[in-house]
Amino acid sequence: MSLTGTPFLCLLIVLCAIALVLPLGLWSRLRGPRALRAAVRTLMLLFAQGTAVALVFVLVNNANSLYDDWADLLGTGDHVQRAADLGTDGTGGIALNRLPEVRQRFTPATGPGMDGVRVTQLRGRVSGVDAEVYVWLPPQYDEPAYRHRAFPVVELLPGYPGSAKAWFGSLDATRQLAPLMRDGRVAPFILVAPRTNLLAGVDTGCANIPGTVNADSWLSVDVPRMVTGNFRAEPAPRGWAVSGYSAGGHCAAKLAVAHPDRYLAAVSLSGYNDPIGERDSLAAQTPALRAANNPYLLLRKAAAPPRVALYLSGQPHDGYEAAVALAQTAKAPTTVHVVYVPRSAGGHTMALWRPQVVPSFRWLTQEMGGHRAAAGGAIPPAPSSGGSTHAALASGTASRAGAGRRR
């Protein structure tokens, strides 16, 4: 029975009801020695508490897409077949254009918010990862007028722990974006959500760690190759972006800064720079790994500033300071767009990130050439925040960090 399925939720509701009725009906009717009656009553109370805790956990899990299945919850899942040393560029010296084309079979995905989403099980030929990837196509994709058109792509990364389904379910990304894509206010992006929870009980930190996991190559090499091999997707980097929240936000910024040849833009919602921001991150285990996977240090030490655009949002002590640090160290042609989110907007939950989906995709539309044709004609650029940086931050709106750094 699926951890996130309706049957399991209904079963827990029924068990909770039984757990409440049993003490009411049997408490005073129990017979036998005092010790036996005490033991039975204790078991009834434990049963009631256990079912209540289980029900609350499942409701929270379903609302926040923390664990996708029993293997994730119990720490028994392992999606890594091998983890060879792939070198600094994450390809192992492989000429990617010489690899056989990746053709996949897709089936309809199930679960809340998954209408129109399809899923495939991908065996990464470079990374050695074997895991699922979810894909959603924009409204224009199957229209006759667009049959020869290639579409931009956004990879969607969840937090840790987190399910690849989270953007479609808990964040309502497709429900929010589809109407805006239809009327041209947001570019018609292909949305791709690969599994990021690859090893039991740890966050991979989207890092390549020889002998352990090649999460970076999974996300930035294998998944994009599969998408371009099966769909009319624009080539990298001009047609590719990556977006994430929390640990996924950290990964989004790091991947874009580390691979400007693969991504043009990144969105980080409540992300962090130092991998130690997630205590279970494998990238936080040694000083060398922390430095190699810290987007701030990557920017600061880059021989040439990468041509990437970053959208970074956060609250005080939850992403904002990390965003400002990136903005302060970035140099042209790198651009950084900082969004201050007030504490009144909520805590580190889906309720905080859900309203940020549309603004971030409007920004992506502008940065990735939103003037390209879409349904009904040209897509207008996203509204400019305008005003001074201080005024914008004080009001909680977006601001461009770094005067004169616009591309």
Side-chain angles (χ1 to χ4, degrees):
M1 190 176 292
S2 171
L3 173 64
T4 58
T6 301
F8 184 59
L9 177 61
C10 292
L11 174 62
L12 286 177
I13 293 174
V14 171
L15 290 177
C16 278
I18 294 173
L20 288 174
V21 170
L22 276 178
L24 293 175
L26 300 179
W27 195 271
S28 60
R29 298 184 183 182
L30 293 174
R31 298 292 182 266
R34 178 178 296 179
L36 177 60
R37 283 180 286 157
V40 172
R41 287 168 178 162
T42 300
L43 289 175
M44 288 193 294
L45 292 176
L46 291 175
F47 178 57
Q49 291 178 338
T51 54
V53 169
L55 178 59
V56 170
F57 168 79
V58 168
L59 292 172
V60 171
N61 183 61
N62 290 351
N64 293 279
S65 299
L66 301 175
Y67 299 98
D68 205 19
D69 52 37
W70 291 105
D72 289 342
L73 175 63
L74 300 176
T76 59
D78 188 341
H79 297 268
V80 178
Q81 297 178 312
R82 66 183 187 280
D85 187 344
L86 299 178
T88 55
D89 69 348
T91 66
I94 301 170
L96 300 181
N97 58 353
R98 295 186 179 180
L99 287 174
E101 191 173 68
V102 180
R103 301 297 296 179
Q104 291 289 121
R105 177 178 175 270
F106 288 80
T107 58
T110 59
M114 303 301 284
D115 293 343
V117 180
R118 58 194 73 187
V119 62
T120 189
Q121 190 73 19
L122 175 64
R123 298 184 67 178
R125 299 185 183 187
V126 176
S127 66
V129 170
D130 185 352
E132 68 270 24
V133 181
Y134 296 88
V135 177
W136 179 86
L137 302 176
Q140 293 91 337
Y141 191 87
D142 291 322
E143 292 181 2
Y146 294 86
R147 63 181 177 275
H148 300 302
R149 185 69 56 83
F151 291 81
V153 182
V154 181
E155 273 189 82
L156 305 174
L157 309 180
Y160 174 80
S163 165
K165 296 180 179 181
W167 278 85
F168 304 115
S170 302
L171 291 186
D172 289 333
T174 56
R175 182 187 62 80
Q176 294 189 71
L177 295 173
L180 303 180
M181 292 183 185
R182 290 191 188 97
D183 64 20
R185 285 179 287 171
V186 168
F189 291 105
I190 295 174
L191 304 183
V192 180
R195 170 180 276 271
T196 57
N197 188 10
L198 304 177
L199 293 171
V202 293
D203 172 29
T204 64
C206 62
N208 276 5
I209 305 174
T212 302
V213 67
N214 284 319
D216 183 313
S217 297
W218 162 248
L219 296 172
S220 68
V221 178
D222 282 327
V223 171
R225 275 187 52 78
M226 182 276 291
V227 173
T228 55
N230 290 270
F231 302 99
R232 299 193 310 276
E234 289 190 358
R238 69 181 179 88
W240 280 75
V242 57
S243 180
Y245 61 86
S246 190
H250 159 74
C251 283
K254 177 258 178 176
L255 289 172
V257 170
H259 304 298
D261 59 325
R262 302 171 196 177
Y263 301 100
L264 182 66
V267 172
S268 174
L269 309 178
S270 303
Y272 45 86
N273 294 330
D274 191 334
I276 207 168
E278 170 50 62
R279 63 178 181 273
D280 291 328
S281 174
L282 292 175
Q285 301 305 306
T286 68
L289 280 172
R290 287 173 61 182
N293 291 279
N294 185 327
Y296 171 79
L297 295 179
L298 292 176
L299 271 184
R300 197 177 73 179
K301 297 178 180 179
R307 185 175 293 277
V308 295
L310 305 177
Y311 177 107
L312 311 169
S313 76
Q315 298 178 311
H317 311 297
D318 188 20
Y320 177 65
E321 291 80 5
V324 170
L326 281 174
Q328 291 174 341
T329 197
K331 298 178 181 178
T334 305
T335 59
V336 180
H337 190 72
V338 178
V339 177
Y340 175 87
V341 182
R343 283 291 185 186
S344 58
H348 198 81
T349 66
M350 295 295 180
L352 175 68
W353 304 312
R354 194 177 300 115
Q356 299 185 55
V357 171
V358 169
S360 64
F361 269 79
R362 283 178 172 161
W363 176 87
L364 284 171
T365 296
Q366 176 176 299
E367 289 295 327
M368 299 180 69
H371 57 278
R372 288 176 295 204
I379 301 176
S384 174
S385 57
S388 69
T389 299
H390 175 77
L393 293 179
S395 63
T397 57
S399 66
R400 174 75 64 176
R405 292 180 186 167
R406 293 178 184 272
R407 286 189 296 164

